[in-house]
Amino acid sequence: MFVDSHCHLYKEYYEDIKKVIDDATKKGVNYYITNGVDTKSNKEVLETISKYKEVYGAIGIHPENMEGSTNKDIEFIANNLNNKKIVAIGEIGLDYHYTKDNKESQKELFQTLLKLAEEKRVPVIIHSRDATEDTLNILKNYHVTGLIHSFSGSLETAIQYIKMGFLIGVNGVITFKNAHIKEVIAKIPLENIVLETDSPFLTPHPYRGTQNNPGYIKEIAEFVSELKNISLEELSKITNNNLQRIFNLKGRE
Ligand code: NI
């Protein structure tokens, strides 16, 4: 059984979320963490987790969605952290890929949300793109743990995150031809890895070009099990235990 530790199950992407879950269940997915990126999607996360018992949620403000966000959006997150099915603040972080001109406000928001996570003792789900140095430097100042979603850095960077207590999120990118992340993940201990799809984005090979869904965690798992030379069963057991160490997915086998 697999857990999709990072997806975005929104109506704007999926006409029928129940069908997406039913199809993924048939492929062995038994739990999901759907992530919000702004107040609109955070509200949808809350709705989805109340509807489907196997879906857990993270609420956050993604750096790409931060424009126009106010204290009210942060309060909304703070006010909903007592929901038992909200397992993290996420996704949050830094993204300098497209926008560098708002670096300072990205950092400020990231720090505010990390402070909240620290105060409320809630793990975080981190998005970091082209911003490794700042992400590491900021994280060092907070007693937080969680996972680095869609990790794409070097082995040295992975080791630093792991030392700080973070899990490394592996998704469909690893199945892409020439993906350098293969060599990095090959060298990271299995005890520090979790699987994710980032649905509807980052569809794994051989389905690239079509919309991603949580059922494709199986294709990612198959790739990683070959890379690590262990059985699918063993991989699912270890990665699920890893996730459970940090995120409280109640009742999860
Ligand atoms: Ni995401």
Side-chain angles (χ1 to χ4, degrees):
M1 298 300 251
F2 296 103
V3 179
D4 185 355
S5 67
H6 189 104
C7 53
H8 302 272
L9 300 177
Y10 310 161
K11 284 172 222 155
E12 68 172 296
Y13 302 134
Y14 302 105
E15 231 173 85
D16 188 349
I17 291 173
K18 186 177 182 308
K19 188 176 180 320
V20 171
I21 294 171
D22 287 346
D23 290 348
T25 305
K26 285 181 200 139
K27 292 186 75 184
V29 185
N30 59 347
Y31 288 99
Y32 310 77
I33 301 177
T34 182
N35 284 243
V37 295
D38 55 17
T39 296
K40 180 177 173 270
S41 54
N42 288 338
K43 283 181 181 162
E44 199 175 338
V45 164
L46 291 165
E47 191 189 312
T48 307
I49 62 176
S50 73
K51 230 170 169 175
Y52 305 103
K53 66 174 190 323
E54 55 277 80
V55 184
Y56 289 77
I59 45 178
I61 303 168
H62 191 290
E64 279 182 60
N65 300 69
M66 68 166 290
E67 282 314 315
S69 66
T70 65
N71 276 342
K72 277 202 169 149
D73 300 289
I74 293 161
E75 272 166 35
F76 184 84
I77 295 170
N79 290 339
N80 284 287
L81 292 177
N82 56 355
N83 183 313
K84 284 200 164 50
K85 290 187 82 188
I86 290 294
V87 295
I89 296 182
E91 76 182 82
I92 62 171
L94 301 172
D95 192 322
Y96 301 159
H97 190 71
Y98 295 114
T99 39
K100 292 188 183 75
D101 52 346
N102 67 349
K103 268 188 187 183
E104 288 315 309
S105 39
Q106 283 196 39
K107 285 196 255 183
E108 201 182 308
L109 174 67
F110 187 34
Q111 286 168 303
T112 303
L113 293 168
L114 287 171
K115 192 163 173 273
L116 180 64
E118 188 178 60
E119 275 169 17
K120 304 275 187 178
R121 297 173 187 234
V122 177
V124 289
I125 296 178
I126 307 279
H127 168 105
S128 174
R129 184 153 61 155
D130 298 347
T132 300
E133 207 186 324
D134 282 354
T135 306
L136 279 166
N137 284 336
I138 289 173
L139 283 177
K140 275 177 196 148
N141 301 324
Y142 297 88
H143 291 280
V144 289
T145 184
L147 76 84
I148 310 296
H149 139 69
S150 195
F151 179 76
S152 62
S154 66
L155 181 61
E156 292 68 33
T157 303
I159 290 167
Q160 290 194 65
Y161 282 132
I162 290 166
K163 278 188 183 156
M164 294 165 86
F166 282 89
L167 295 165
I168 302 296
V170 177
N171 56 38
V173 173
I174 199 166
T175 68
F176 298 175
K177 213 179 155 198
N178 301 327
H180 84 280
I181 198 68
K182 275 184 260 244
E183 287 89 70
V184 177
I185 298 304
K187 291 182 186 134
I188 296 177
L190 269 170
E191 283 63 33
N192 304 111
I193 289 172
V194 287
L195 304 176
E196 60 171 50
T197 63
D198 200 21
S199 295
F201 315 108
L202 305 177
T203 312
H205 175 82
Y207 304 106
R208 271 184 100 174
T210 65
Q211 190 188 48
N212 202 2
N213 70 74
Y216 289 155
I217 203 95
K218 184 147 181 278
E219 278 69 20
I220 299 163
E222 279 166 357
F223 190 93
V224 175
S225 80
E226 267 180 48
L227 183 75
K228 293 291 201 181
N229 200 19
I230 57 158
S231 69
L232 268 184
E233 291 70 30
E234 198 58 15
L235 177 70
S236 92
K237 204 173 121 195
I238 296 171
T239 53
N240 291 353
N241 281 341
N242 295 344
L243 201 63
Q244 186 66 13
R245 275 206 310 272
I246 295 181
F247 300 90
N248 193 9
L249 274 58
K250 288 180 190 68
R252 204 178 53 67
E253 302 112 77

